[in-house]
Amino acid sequence: MLQQRAARYRDVSKTEGAMNFDVLNGKIYKMIKDSGRSGLPKIVVVIPFYNEMHKLVRSIESLINQSMKPSLVILVDDCGNEPLLNSIPESLKQAGIECVTIRNPQNLGPGGSRQTGLSVCPSDTEFLIFLDSDDFLSNDFIRESVRMHQLRPDIIATYANTVNILNGQNRIDLTPDKYDNLVDGILNMRKWGTGALMWKYSQIRDLQWKSMRCVEDSHFELSAALINPNIEYVDAATLFIEQSFEEDRLIRRNRMVKEHEMAIRHQLYDILLHDYPFDTASSVRKKYLKRAVHHWIRYAEIGLTEYPGRIFQFIRKGRLKVALRMIAYTPLFFKQLRRLSKQA
């Protein structure tokens, strides 16, 4: 089914799903109503949470304050100790937003909890946001993201600014060029936060979030890129995150996942090398293959005899360009071997 959808996305009409447009000052603007849900797209927000009710309240308030409100919020309790505040679903209801709450049977982590939410999305969902419970959105986030989807019916997702409120830094500004392909994020350690993306539900509804404690975002985005890699930046929308790598919570988390992160990241780039079409004009221009092989080797934890075997696997699969690039990068692999031996 995913292969059929990947083949079909390129045939999407430039006017499919488009509403009425006005041309003002040489720019196209989407006309969206300020209030009421009649005629508006169905937008779902999935929020996994684990305790920290005060931060979840902040996320919910940002949804209530949206100039275009979501239709449904799915709250996924990942077996936390703090009970969900009754005021949260009540406040959403008062704002005209439907709310569904689900409690995982066991702690699944962020990826597994997002999958719980994705699996119960209504079939008529049009756009979907996976918002972390400690993040929140600018007031026009949904409106502007929907506007861009209407202007670009060929994309699978929009992405917005991602500002860390602890230092004021916009992570999107860390790269000089804005991305137009999900693979850009995968090869550049994804600058956007998870909640900065608004997904076209029809193209991701059959995907699976992996139940892992790190890199689960990139794995999901790679699965989406294999269907349709096209994305668009929305400069008028912002996701606000609260991220400090000095917090004890993150230090403990990083210790737990560090020993597995190399393998998980290597698996990510292995899937990319096996399945992504590197022969497109954009892929060639951006040197995706060269960069993907570089990352594959960087996170490889394999021995000297296994490397040629991996190359032959790509040859047998018909991925000759990948195999040739890996042969050319053999000196880099030897450098990686020496680095690993010093750490042992």
Side-chain angles (χ1 to χ4, degrees), residues 4 82 170 263 330:
Q4 293 175 347
E82 294 183 38
N170 183 1
T330 300

Side-chain angles (χ1 to χ4, degrees), residues 64-196:
I64 292 173
N65 293 330
Q66 289 295 304
S67 55
M68 175 186 279
K69 294 177 174 53
S71 314
L72 169 66
V73 173
I74 300 174
L75 298 172
V76 183
D77 185 347
D78 198 19
C79 293
N81 298 321
E82 294 183 38
L84 178 67
L85 296 174
N86 292 331
S87 60
I88 290 178
E90 290 174 359
S91 61
L92 287 167
K93 183 178 179 180
Q94 291 175 1
I97 303 171
E98 186 181 355
C99 179
V100 172
T101 60
I102 303 171
R103 183 175 173 86
N104 288 332
Q106 60 188 31
N107 183 266
L108 299 178
S113 297
R114 293 175 194 134
Q115 182 59 40
T116 298
L118 176 60
S119 66
V120 299
C121 283
S123 59
D124 60 345
T125 299
E126 295 181 59
F127 302 113
L128 178 59
I129 300 170
F130 296 102
L131 182 64
D132 289 343
S133 61
D134 53 354
D135 298 342
F136 56 101
L137 307 177
S138 59
N139 289 351
D140 291 327
F141 182 98
I142 292 179
R143 170 191 291 274
E144 295 301 324
S145 298
V146 168
R147 185 198 303 274
M148 186 57 70
H149 270 285
Q150 293 293 338
L151 290 172
R152 290 284 311 278
D154 59 308
I155 61 176
I156 193 171
T158 55
Y159 75 97
N161 299 298
T162 300
V163 174
N164 187 348
I165 64 173
L166 297 183
N167 59 19
Q169 183 182 62
N170 183 1
R171 284 166 34 176
I172 301 302
D173 291 340
L174 295 178
T175 54
D177 299 319
K178 299 302 182 283
Y179 301 148
D180 59 7
N181 190 306
L182 282 168
V183 177
D184 289 325
I186 295 168
L187 294 176
N188 290 285
M189 308 302 286
R190 59 190 305 276
K191 300 299 186 288
W192 53 67
T194 305

Side-chain angles (χ1 to χ4, degrees), residues 277-333:
F278 291 102
D279 54 353
T280 65
S282 177
S283 297
V284 173
R285 176 172 54 85
K286 297 181 181 181
K287 301 179 180 179
Y288 281 169
L289 177 56
K290 179 179 179 180
R291 293 157 61 194
V293 171
H294 182 275
H295 284 302
W296 189 96
I297 293 175
R298 177 185 178 189
Y299 293 106
E301 295 180 298
I302 60 177
L304 178 61
T305 58
E306 192 174 351
Y307 189 66
R310 295 295 186 92
I311 294 175
F312 281 118
Q313 285 181 4
F314 286 111
I315 294 175
R316 286 194 296 268
K317 192 175 179 179
R319 307 285 284 180
L320 185 58
K321 289 183 179 179
V322 175
L324 291 174
R325 176 56 62 179
M326 292 183 69
I327 292 171
Y329 269 27
T330 300
L332 180 63
F333 175 72

Side-chain angles (χ1 to χ4, degrees), residues 254-272:
N254 289 340
R255 284 173 181 166
M256 287 190 295
V257 303
K258 188 175 182 59
E259 59 183 289
H260 305 295
E261 185 175 355
M262 288 277 288
I264 292 172
R265 290 194 180 277
H266 182 263
Q267 181 189 39
L268 174 73
Y269 297 114
D270 194 60
I271 296 172
L272 183 65

